């Protein structure tokens, strides 16, 4: 899908500039394609900026990172790319610093956790463009039938799962550790156990005592007691778990805002609570962000700055977030959403954002680590599996990748 958006009455003067942006598609149909969002935004921008043309090419999430890499490798980097990662390009010194292509107020308006996640060695290159957090979804109908209340601790979650299983629920707790997005479910559980992927600024801590304890508990108390459904966690993908939840077959699972629409469309009554922790609701949720990057090759810093400052205005951030059920990346838009009745369904996710932690995306080693988590982590909870052994293997991968990327 491609949208090339023409400028308004350009005269061909030497001051005329064409900015090229490659963006990802957040829509699920032609009616709400991101091409439509960008077309409207660019039209509004160009109306007040004669002499600047913005050409936007929109690709699906399956293709966008690869397409941008192709352009960069061919020496044809776009001026801007709205993609899933930025650290590789920053490490190769291909990007403008955020401060070079945003006004001071626009850069200062980013939600702090998201801005920090956009940094490489203390300098921000990745500009957050969209964000979401994860909460525990539960099926209200199944819970009412079993006489349950939403869990706040791991032990309550396990007790609820056992009661749901006794009631014949197919997936009492859906644990998607399959290759599609295992790194997300893994991180949510690690955080709820007081650990994480990288608890220090200089290295990974995947095989920490807390993390081994978390996966040992999962293996023994959920998977080992047959409370995670008929598909082995290592073979269950997030998309399939979401589909099963929308079909009324799942008691509980971790989900992000898009699951609300899918479940409601199928008539599933659901509730949402913070992820349970060892002794109470987890203090740190998982956050996810997608990134805007600005490539320096074409030298259009001034024009990029003007355009991105417009993109990140409160009005435009709100319009994008509301269109796609995502969380705003700026403080101003977050405050507006928190107070607006029309955004009440996103409040549980907004509440988690200030206490969220993101993947260590500022490290060029993260791509290799994430890929290995997707490949191996399901083995940690299977019968006969060794949580300590698998997490130790992942730690070795992480240490090797980190030393290689630092070299």
């Amino acid at each position: 899908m491609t949208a090339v958006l023409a400028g308004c009455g350009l005269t061909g003067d030497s001051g005329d500039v064409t900015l090229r942006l490659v963006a990802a598609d957040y829509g699920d149909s032609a009616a709400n394609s991101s091409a439509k969002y960008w077309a409207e935004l660019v039209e509004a921008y160009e109306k007040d900026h004669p002499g600047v043309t913005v050409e936007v090419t929109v690709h699906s999430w399956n293709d966008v990172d690869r397409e941008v890499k192709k352009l960069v490798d061919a020496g044809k980097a776009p001026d801007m790319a709205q993609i899933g990662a930025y650290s590789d390009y920053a490490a190769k010194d291909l990007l403008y610093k955020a401060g070079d292509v945003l006004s001071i107020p626009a850069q200062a308006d980013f939600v702090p956790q998201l801005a920090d996640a956009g940094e490489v060695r203390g300098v921000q290159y990745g500009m957050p463009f969209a964000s979401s957090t994860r909460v525990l979804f539960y099926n209200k109908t199944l819970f009412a039938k079993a006489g349950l209340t939403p869990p706040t601790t791991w032990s309550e979650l396990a007790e609820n799962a056992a009661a749901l299983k006794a009631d014949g629920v197919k997936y009492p707790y859906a644990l998607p550790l399959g290759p599609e997005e295992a790194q997300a479910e893994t991180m949510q559980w690690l955080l709820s156990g007081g650990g994480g992927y990288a608890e220090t600024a200089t290295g990974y801590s995947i095989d920490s005592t807390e993390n081994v304890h978390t996966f040992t508990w999962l293996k023994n108390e959920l998977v080992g007691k047959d409370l995670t459904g008929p598909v082995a966690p290592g073979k269950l993908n997030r998309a399939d778990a979401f589909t099963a939840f929308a079909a009324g077959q799942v008691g509980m699972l971790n989900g992000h805002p898009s699951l609300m629409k899918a479940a409601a469309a199928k008539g599933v009554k659901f509730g949402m609570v913070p992820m349970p922790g060892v002794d109470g609701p987890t203090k740190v949720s998982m956050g996810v962000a997608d990134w805007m990057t600005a490539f320096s090759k074409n030298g259009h810093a001034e024009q990029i700055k003007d355009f991105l400052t417009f993109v990140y205005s409160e009005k435009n951030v709100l319009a994008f977030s509301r269109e796609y059920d995502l969380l705003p990346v700026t403080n101003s838009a977050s405050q507006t959403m928190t107070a607006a009745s029309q955004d009440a369904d996103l409040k549980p996710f907004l509440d988690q954002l200030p206490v969220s932690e993101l993947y260590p995306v500022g490290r060029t080693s993260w791509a290799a680590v994430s890929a290995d988590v997707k490949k191996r982590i399901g083995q940690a909870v299977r019968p006969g599996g060794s949580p300590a052994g698998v997490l130790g293997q992942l730690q070795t991968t992480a240490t090797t990748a980190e030393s290689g990327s630092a070299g």
Side-chain angles (χ1 to χ4, degrees), residues 109 111 314 318 322 328 330-340 343 350:
D109 197 25
V111 173
E314 181 181 340
L318 279 172
R322 285 169 170 161
T330 61
N331 291 313
S332 57
S334 292
Q335 289 161 7
T336 299
M337 258 196 170
T338 300
D343 302 309
L350 283 163

Side-chain angles (χ1 to χ4, degrees), residues 135-136 152 154 157 173 188-189 192 254 273-277 280-282:
V135 298
L136 185 77
T152 61
W154 285 0
L157 186 149
Y173 177 86
Q188 188 66 69
W189 277 100
S192 75
N254 281 317
V273 293
M275 174 69 179
T282 180

Side-chain angles (χ1 to χ4, degrees), residues 203-271:
Y204 289 87
S205 49
I206 299 174
D207 61 350
S208 69
T209 302
E210 293 85 357
N211 292 348
V212 171
H213 174 258
T214 294
F215 266 80
T216 301
W217 186 88
L218 278 173
K219 177 177 182 286
N220 295 339
E221 301 302 322
L222 285 187
V223 183
K225 293 183 178 177
D226 198 25
L227 301 178
T228 53
V231 179
K235 297 189 183 306
L236 181 65
N237 281 328
R238 175 195 55 94
D240 297 328
F242 278 20
T243 299
F245 186 85
Q249 300 173 337
V250 175
M252 298 171 281
L253 85 171
N254 281 317
H256 51 63
S258 70
L259 182 57
M260 295 190 299
K261 191 179 287 184
K266 296 283 191 179
V268 172
K269 293 182 172 61
F270 60 88

Side-chain angles (χ1 to χ4, degrees), residues 273-285:
V273 293
M275 174 69 179
V278 178
D279 301 313
T282 180
K283 295 178 175 62
V284 183
S285 175

Side-chain angles (χ1 to χ4, degrees), residues 341-385:
S341 57
Q342 75 182 90
D343 302 309
D345 57 347
L346 284 171
K347 192 169 187 312
F349 300 95
L350 283 163
D351 289 345
Q352 292 294 308
L353 195 55
V355 292
S356 64
E357 183 174 314
L358 281 77
Y359 300 128
V361 288
R363 304 180 185 199
T364 55
S365 55
W366 170 243
V369 175
S370 176
D372 206 36
V373 171
K374 292 177 184 181
K375 177 181 167 186
R376 294 182 191 272
I377 196 65
Q379 300 167 14
V381 296
R382 70 184 183 188

Side-chain angles (χ1 to χ4, degrees), residues 65-390:
D65 287 285
R66 182 175 64 249
E67 292 299 322
V68 170
K69 185 176 186 301
K70 271 196 224 167
L71 289 171
V72 173
D73 289 349
K76 299 176 181 177
D79 295 285
M80 295 163 284
Q82 186 268 300
I83 47 181
Y86 65 86
S87 59
D88 277 358
Y89 299 127
K92 294 172 184 172
D93 201 25
L94 299 176
L95 301 179
Y96 283 118
K97 298 171 186 173
D100 294 336
V101 289
L102 281 175
S103 69
I104 291 172
Q107 188 178 7
D109 197 25
F110 286 132
V111 173
Q113 282 87 345
L114 304 179
D116 291 348
E119 293 182 354
V120 175
R121 297 184 180 90
V123 178
Q124 186 181 359
Y125 293 93
M127 293 166 276
F129 185 75
S131 70
S132 69
T133 54
R134 305 292 166 100
V135 298
L136 185 77
F137 281 69
Y138 65 96
N139 183 310
K140 284 186 171 181
T141 304
L142 298 178
F143 265 57
K145 183 168 177 270
L148 302 174
T149 56
T152 61
T153 65
W154 285 0
S155 59
E156 289 173 5
L157 186 149
E159 289 164 11
N160 284 359
L164 292 164
K165 182 190 176 189
D167 261 4
V169 175
K170 188 172 182 180
Y171 293 91
Y173 177 86
L175 183 66
L177 297 177
E180 178 199 354
E181 208 192 28
Q183 82 283 4
E185 183 75 11
T186 297
M187 182 168 173
Q188 188 66 69
W189 277 100
L190 296 183
L191 292 172
S192 75
Y197 285 123
E199 293 164 60
T200 68
T202 55
Y204 289 87
S205 49
I206 299 174
D207 61 350
S208 69
T209 302
E210 293 85 357
N211 292 348
V212 171
H213 174 258
T214 294
F215 266 80
T216 301
W217 186 88
L218 278 173
K219 177 177 182 286
N220 295 339
E221 301 302 322
L222 285 187
V223 183
K225 293 183 178 177
D226 198 25
L227 301 178
T228 53
V231 179
K235 297 189 183 306
L236 181 65
N237 281 328
R238 175 195 55 94
D240 297 328
F242 278 20
T243 299
F245 186 85
Q249 300 173 337
V250 175
M252 298 171 281
L253 85 171
N254 281 317
H256 51 63
S258 70
L259 182 57
M260 295 190 299
K261 191 179 287 184
K266 296 283 191 179
V268 172
K269 293 182 172 61
F270 60 88
M272 299 176 292
V273 293
M275 174 69 179
V278 178
D279 301 313
T282 180
K283 295 178 175 62
V284 183
S285 175
M286 189 187 83
V288 178
D290 303 323
W291 304 97
M292 178 69 78
T293 57
F295 287 87
S296 57
K297 179 178 175 58
N298 303 319
H300 293 150
E302 184 182 337
Q303 292 84 3
I304 293 171
K305 182 175 184 175
D306 197 60
F307 178 66
L308 287 183
T309 297
F310 177 77
V311 167
Y312 281 107
S313 68
E314 181 181 340
K315 174 186 171 185
N316 289 326
V317 171
L318 279 172
F320 178 83
S321 302
R322 285 169 170 161
E323 177 66 34
Y324 299 109
D325 282 330
L326 291 162
L327 303 185
V329 296
T330 61
N331 291 313
S332 57
S334 292
Q335 289 161 7
T336 299
M337 258 196 170
T338 300
S341 57
Q342 75 182 90
D343 302 309
D345 57 347
L346 284 171
K347 192 169 187 312
F349 300 95
L350 283 163
D351 289 345
Q352 292 294 308
L353 195 55
V355 292
S356 64
E357 183 174 314
L358 281 77
Y359 300 128
V361 288
R363 304 180 185 199
T364 55
S365 55
W366 170 243
V369 175
S370 176
D372 206 36
V373 171
K374 292 177 184 181
K375 177 181 167 186
R376 294 182 191 272
I377 196 65
Q379 300 167 14
V381 296
R382 70 184 183 188
S386 167
V390 171

